[in-house]
Amino acid sequence: MQSRQWMYARCAFVAFAALLLLSIVASGAMSAPYAAYVVDARNGKVLHSRNAETRLHPASLTKMMTLYIAFEAVEQGEISLDTKVTISKKAASEPPSKLGLRPGQKIKLRYLIRAAAVKSANDASTAIGEAISGSEAKFARRMNRTAKAIGMTRTTFKNMHGLTQSGHLSTARDMTLLGRQLLFDYPEYYNLFSRITANAGVQRVNHTNRRFLEAYRGADGIKTGYTRAAGFNLTASAKRRQERIIVTVFGGKSTASRNAKVAELMDLGFRKAPSRLKTQRPSKPAYRGNGTTKGIGTTIRATGAVTASKRPVLRPGTASNTLIPQVEAPVSNEDIALALQAATETSGADQSDANEKAKVIEVSLRPPQKVKRKNPAAVLEAPPKAEPKAATPEVVKRLSTSGGRQWGVNVGRYPDRQAAEKVLVTTALTEIETLQGSLRKVVRKSQGYDANFLGMTRETADLACRRLVARKINCFMIGP
């Protein structure tokens, strides 16, 4: 009898031990591997690394590459922010997080970009990739080609959103490299990653990383990610004084614990980073588009060539009294008419961005004269005066009917209109050969005044920027 009781007790103990072991194994299987990587964004120096080369599930950190390629496609004229994208059945059927798009629905690319960057919407991400490359497979090939060019040596992309898929893997190091590349290659779009909320067309969306952005001083981006296989991932950037740190964490146990770990690593980075350090920009990969042999996507630029920018940023420390002295140019009635045309025909901003629509002054580029210009408002209000006919009149066509002259260049954003006009005139004198015949145009934005030359062919704009950059003058191409 006692032997039988002992046998029952032993069996119960073995069963309990087996259940306990299975529980431990299951718990371990549910916990994603941990990895971390910390760099000084200014030169890419590694400040901390743990399991940084281990290939893991990136989850929605994938969307950083989707957005990088979207910015590239807009910059190169493959697609515009106002292109209306038709939502496919595949995009609409993606699981959450999602914007809730319907098959056949049309929505502007700018809204898809906001939804992917802020809400981490999977349907929006798929729609972006399909709009640019035609299919998920083609876009994935472009993602992998771009990743290789950046130096992401242990990353393989299979989709645009980051949902778990066999072989879709990356590393903490590679995602940190991508975050740094986004910061330097497309600074004009980087503010998307710090928006707490954004208008995504069909709804207003909230940022998936708003807790960290609001809690950590200096944080201004960049992307979260979560799946059961990946755990809680985050690539984050923060700036304090002259220092900027980028941190990537894979395999967090929860949003709160992940954010706490990222904050800890950020603090470590700021302690180790020197106050003064020369910035070493990463090389921008050569543009190859979709790798086709037709269309605009075939233009190839050498690494280190002119960087294009649809939305240039205000130069740090720029003030009107630090610029080259102004050389004034006359404003004719033709210039005024062109300015009024441009003001009524300006496109590219949606209703939510109406407060940023450009208020412009356009001046046809001719050898400048030292003539005191009247107040622009007074000139517009004054009755037009008849102008003498010139032997060879100079005609500047509108950009919309100029036979392909729909490109331009930007030479910076400045704190006031006068400063921007000064730079336009002095730049025109510096590079008169390629800028001759273009329009000088000052565009008012919410963060300053853009100094632009417009009405150029793509080839002329590219050549002008290359020559200006060679003269140590910042320059960005502007597409149609």
Side-chain angles (χ1 to χ4, degrees), residues 355-374:
N355 62 337
E356 293 185 9
K357 281 196 173 183
K359 298 179 180 178
V360 302
I361 293 180
E362 290 184 342
V363 183
S364 60
L365 182 59
R366 54 174 65 91
Q369 306 171 23
K370 293 185 178 180
V371 178
K372 186 66 178 178
R373 179 164 33 196
K374 296 181 181 180

Side-chain angles (χ1 to χ4, degrees), residues 24-175:
I24 293 173
V25 171
S27 176
M30 292 293 289
S31 298
Y34 171 81
Y37 200 66
V38 183
V39 300
D40 188 322
R42 295 168 295 176
N43 63 359
K45 181 181 179 181
V46 180
L47 304 176
H48 173 79
S49 177
R50 182 175 174 186
N51 300 328
E53 295 287 357
T54 303
R55 282 164 55 85
L56 303 170
H57 297 287
S60 286
L61 299 190
T62 299
K63 295 183 177 75
M64 289 194 290
M65 179 58 80
T66 301
L67 292 164
Y68 184 95
I69 293 175
F71 301 153
E72 177 186 61
V74 170
E75 173 189 277
Q76 297 295 337
E78 295 180 64
I79 193 169
S80 83
L81 292 173
D82 288 309
T83 297
K84 288 191 174 181
V85 177
T86 301
I87 304 303
S88 68
K89 290 183 179 179
K90 174 176 175 53
S93 65
E94 298 290 8
S97 173
K98 60 193 301 181
L99 193 56
L101 301 171
R102 304 182 307 277
Q105 180 178 356
K106 295 182 182 296
I107 184 171
K108 289 183 178 180
L109 178 69
R110 67 173 69 247
Y111 294 134
L112 296 175
I113 287 175
R114 293 175 188 173
V118 177
K119 184 179 174 61
S120 197
N122 296 324
D123 51 357
S125 301
T126 296
I128 290 171
E130 291 178 338
I132 294 172
S133 297
S135 70
E136 182 176 74
K138 291 180 180 178
F139 192 75
R141 286 197 291 270
R142 182 164 175 173
M143 295 171 79
N144 289 320
R145 186 173 64 248
T146 305
K148 183 177 179 180
I150 288 174
M152 300 169 66
T153 58
R154 293 181 59 76
T155 293
T156 304
F157 292 114
K158 295 295 185 73
N159 58 56
M160 309 89 150
H161 40 65
L163 292 172
T164 303
Q165 185 173 342
S166 177
H168 186 95
L169 300 169
S170 186
T171 69
R173 171 191 172 274
D174 283 1
M175 283 298 163

Side-chain angles (χ1 to χ4, degrees), residues 75-76 284-288 298-309 407-411 427 430-435 453 456-478:
E75 173 189 277
Q76 297 295 337
K284 189 174 182 179
Y287 171 66
R288 291 182 55 192
T298 60
T299 300
I300 299 177
R301 301 184 184 279
T303 302
V306 175
T307 304
S309 170
W407 291 79
V409 299
N410 171 277
V411 290
T427 304
T430 301
E431 186 51 46
I432 192 168
E433 182 178 345
T434 54
L435 296 177
F453 291 93
M456 307 167 71
T457 64
R458 178 172 182 154
E459 293 74 18
T460 303
D462 186 52
L463 177 61
C465 255
R466 290 176 184 274
R467 294 173 66 120
L468 289 172
V469 169
R471 297 173 186 266
K472 308 297 184 184
I473 299 173
N474 287 341
C475 181
F476 305 90
M477 285 179 62
I478 303 172

Side-chain angles (χ1 to χ4, degrees), residues 292-480:
T292 60
T293 58
K294 297 180 180 181
I296 197 168
T298 60
T299 300
I300 299 177
R301 301 184 184 279
T303 302
V306 175
T307 304
S309 170
K310 299 292 282 188
R311 295 182 181 175
V313 295
L314 182 64
R315 297 181 185 177
T318 301
S320 57
N321 60 2
T322 64
L323 301 174
I324 303 172
Q326 183 179 16
V327 180
E328 299 288 301
V331 179
S332 68
N333 291 329
E334 184 181 15
D335 298 328
I336 296 169
L338 286 168
L340 291 175
Q341 283 179 343
T344 57
E345 295 179 359
T346 299
S347 62
D350 57 59
Q351 190 62 38
S352 67
D353 295 329
N355 62 337
E356 293 185 9
K357 281 196 173 183
K359 298 179 180 178
V360 302
I361 293 180
E362 290 184 342
V363 183
S364 60
L365 182 59
R366 54 174 65 91
Q369 306 171 23
K370 293 185 178 180
V371 178
K372 186 66 178 178
R373 179 164 33 196
K374 296 181 181 180
N375 185 309
V379 173
L380 288 172
E381 292 173 1
K385 297 180 181 179
E387 295 186 4
K389 293 184 179 180
T392 55
E394 180 181 358
V395 179
V396 181
K397 296 182 179 179
R398 288 184 297 149
L399 298 181
S400 59
T401 59
S402 57
R405 298 174 65 86
Q406 300 181 26
W407 291 79
V409 299
N410 171 277
V411 290
R413 178 169 290 176
Y414 299 90
D416 55 65
R417 185 180 296 279
Q418 183 182 20
E421 289 173 351
K422 285 181 180 179
V423 171
L424 283 175
V425 174
T426 53
T427 304
L429 289 173
T430 301
E431 186 51 46
I432 192 168
E433 182 178 345
T434 54
L435 296 177
Q436 180 72 31
S438 63
L439 296 176
R440 291 204 304 269
K441 177 177 174 181
V442 176
V443 182
R444 184 178 180 181
K445 297 287 187 178
S446 60
Q447 297 180 350
Y449 293 80
D450 289 357
N452 300 331
F453 291 93
L454 298 178
M456 307 167 71
T457 64
R458 178 172 182 154
E459 293 74 18
T460 303
D462 186 52
L463 177 61
C465 255
R466 290 176 184 274
R467 294 173 66 120
L468 289 172
V469 169
R471 297 173 186 266
K472 308 297 184 184
I473 299 173
N474 287 341
C475 181
F476 305 90
M477 285 179 62
I478 303 172

